[in-house]
Amino acid sequence: MTGDAVRRWVALATAALMIGSAAGCGDAHRTDDAAGITVVLAGNAEEIAGYRSLVEAFEKTKPGVKVTLSPVAKQDDLMARLTSSFAGGTPPDVFLLNYRRYGQFAAQKAIEPVQSYLDDSKVLKEKDFSPRALEAFRFDGEKLTCLPQNMSSLVVYYNAGLFAKAGVPLPKAGWTWADFLSAAKALTGDGTYGVGVAPSIARVAPFVWSNGGELVDDPRQPAALTLTGDPATRKALDWFLDLQLVHHVVPPDAEEQSESSEARFLRGGLGMYLNSRVAVPTLRTIKGFEWDAASLPVAPGGVPASILHSDAYCMGAGRSNHDAAWRFIEFAMGVQGQEILAESGRTVPSRLDVANSPAFLSADRPPRSSRVFLDAEPHLRATPVTASWARVERETDKLLEEVFYGRVGREEGLRQLEEQIRPLFSLEVGTGQ
């Protein structure tokens, strides 16, 4: 890290601390409905359409609160927007953020905790929601910082037509790594690849956990990655890397750069595609073939495992209209609000009653096997929730990509990865991370 980068981080962290201090002054539940509220989130066109429907429904029920939806296209754009707004002292009233990214803001007390609002609510109760999703947003280990609106997991989307053409049985619950690899090999050839998967820690994690390994030395207070030091973890990592480096069932670097795995799956050139529920609105535009979702394969002698993908509504600290912001969150997290987003295809509702209702499980639109997301709920695990995790994950993903695509040797690349990532765990970071 350069000296300039450090100085920028210190300046932004100081600004965030000032925001947090300002948030502690005055009444905890202040309101200024007349000013309206701004909601910031990331998503593609199909996702944003669902949130616009949510806002429209809210404004009909609460005509006194005007909501300005301010979307950005990508998660990196969202982090840039939040970083600049917090550093400038003008955080959004409400923002939707993944648990793997909110720690840096929570650590600086730049988020107004939702726990007291939920405790006082006549509409929502903690028992309404997935406990695993809630746990990921208890930054201090007890009180809720943000309220999770979904509880997605990593799944295998598959092209049923390609499976039939290759004479491969469709994926089913309890299938193994061997079953997965066998299918991937059979589906690869004539311009088609068996698997599309991003080389990232979030994609590696479920395979590590299924094999009995761990990503870090201490999930609550991590000080180092254990990708090479833990035999069970290393075995899972090697199996994942081999998909590209040995078996060649994943598109090589140049082909992935020219056409993403999602685009390849959309046109029918990919047998299996690993992603969370976020992909569904886009996948529903497919017209030329039948597709569905399956659970992740299980390690030999291992256990079912998947990674929690959860975004939550957070409130910016120091704002004047927390009550209005909470009213929007309360509506969005109620039955009607959760049903609207469930019907859009974007989310697996964190409300268990809506998740188990036709609003989410209806087979009228793909994937027909949406229950795989609910079946995964007991097996969901979260990556560490710390102030520096977003930085750790981002830098780890860059280095994993180098190894996955053979730009650097496996052993040398993994050695460099662990050496370069270790100092980041103890890094003092602010909202400018």
Side-chain angles (χ1 to χ4, degrees):
M1 183 186 307
T2 66
D4 288 342
V6 171
R7 285 190 287 274
R8 284 197 297 273
W9 281 21
V10 170
L12 289 169
T14 301
L17 283 169
M18 293 174 65
I19 295 169
S21 298
C25 302
D27 296 332
H29 292 207
R30 291 176 292 172
T31 182
D32 181 14
D33 290 1
I37 62 170
T38 298
V39 178
V40 175
L41 49 83
N44 59 29
E46 291 82 3
E47 293 177 68
I48 299 305
Y51 289 109
R52 293 198 187 284
S53 296
L54 175 65
V55 168
E56 290 172 4
F58 170 74
E59 290 183 335
K60 287 179 181 177
T61 62
K62 304 288 185 182
V65 182
K66 175 66 177 175
V67 176
T68 299
L69 190 65
S70 182
V72 295
K74 299 179 180 179
Q75 287 293 325
D76 287 346
D77 299 332
L78 176 62
M79 293 300 287
R81 169 82 68 85
L82 292 175
T83 295
S84 60
S85 63
F86 275 110
T90 56
D93 300 294
V94 178
F95 53 99
L96 193 68
L97 195 59
N98 192 280
Y99 75 92
R100 304 199 321 268
R101 294 169 177 256
Y102 87 104
Q104 65 196 73
F105 301 105
Q108 297 298 328
K109 302 188 185 304
I111 299 175
E112 172 80 359
V114 301
Q115 185 70 65
S116 63
Y117 297 85
L118 181 60
D119 291 343
D120 293 342
S121 177
K122 306 299 184 193
V123 178
L124 307 177
K125 300 298 179 186
E126 277 196 35
K127 65 180 181 180
D128 296 334
F129 305 102
S130 161
R132 269 156 280 277
L134 291 174
E135 185 64 24
F137 289 96
R138 298 186 194 277
F139 185 75
D140 59 3
E142 296 181 7
K143 296 180 180 179
L144 277 172
T145 303
C146 306
L147 193 56
Q149 62 101 312
N150 58 41
M151 57 168 192
S152 184
S153 55
L154 187 64
V155 299
V156 179
Y157 295 103
Y158 62 89
N159 182 325
L162 289 181
F163 269 75
K165 182 179 178 181
V168 179
L170 294 179
K172 61 182 180 180
W175 66 323
T176 65
W177 287 5
D179 297 328
F180 178 90
L181 181 58
S182 176
K185 289 179 175 179
L187 293 163
T188 300
D190 298 326
T192 298
Y193 286 93
V195 184
V197 59
S200 68
I201 197 71
R203 297 296 187 257
V204 171
F207 298 102
V208 168
W209 295 329
S210 181
N211 200 45
E214 294 290 346
L215 296 178
V216 293
D217 56 346
D218 182 344
R220 291 200 171 274
Q221 294 184 314
L225 293 172
T226 56
L227 297 181
T228 60
D230 180 344
T233 300
R234 180 59 194 266
K235 181 178 179 181
L237 177 60
D238 280 335
W239 182 86
F240 183 93
L241 294 173
D242 285 351
L243 295 174
Q244 169 65 260
L245 297 173
V246 175
H247 306 298
H248 309 296
V249 295
V250 178
D253 193 4
E255 293 194 39
E256 184 68 22
Q257 293 296 327
S258 63
E259 183 180 39
S260 70
S261 286
E262 182 172 82
R264 193 180 299 273
F265 188 83
L266 288 171
R267 72 166 175 82
L270 191 65
M272 297 180 286
Y273 173 49
L274 275 63
N275 205 338
S276 69
R277 185 74 185 192
V278 70
V280 167
T282 301
L283 298 187
R284 282 181 174 174
T285 65
I286 293 172
K287 303 297 182 183
F289 61 87
E290 181 181 345
W291 61 274
D292 205 348
S295 59
L296 293 177
V298 179
V303 297
S306 192
I307 183 171
L308 174 70
H309 285 263
S310 185
D311 307 286
Y313 293 107
C314 306
M315 296 190 289
R319 303 299 290 166
S320 63
N321 49 357
H322 288 142
D323 280 0
W326 174 252
R327 278 196 237 172
F328 172 76
I329 294 173
E330 199 172 49
F331 176 82
M333 298 302 295
V335 171
Q336 183 180 357
Q338 287 262 285
E339 285 182 345
I340 289 171
L341 287 184
E343 290 168 356
S344 77
R346 164 63 179 82
T347 64
V348 181
S350 59
R351 276 193 75 106
L352 298 176
D353 54 352
V354 178
N356 284 281
S357 75
F360 176 69
L361 293 176
S362 174
D364 291 344
R365 302 180 70 187
R368 290 186 300 175
S369 303
S370 282
R371 183 161 287 281
V372 299
F373 292 97
L374 305 189
D375 292 341
E377 201 274 343
H379 311 296
L380 292 177
R381 288 188 58 177
T383 55
V385 178
T386 65
S388 63
W389 181 256
R391 171 88 173 171
V392 167
E393 183 173 312
R394 185 165 62 248
E395 297 305 318
T396 298
D397 289 353
K398 291 178 183 177
L399 295 168
L400 269 180
E401 183 177 293
E402 294 291 304
V403 177
F404 188 75
Y405 287 118
R407 300 173 197 154
V408 61
R410 184 184 313 218
E411 298 305 322
E412 175 63 17
L414 293 179
R415 184 189 64 78
Q416 290 180 10
L417 189 158
E418 292 207 332
E419 287 181 357
Q420 293 180 35
I421 297 302
R422 184 183 291 270
L424 299 182
F425 283 98
S426 58
L427 196 64
E428 292 292 334
V429 297
T431 57
Q433 176 181 227

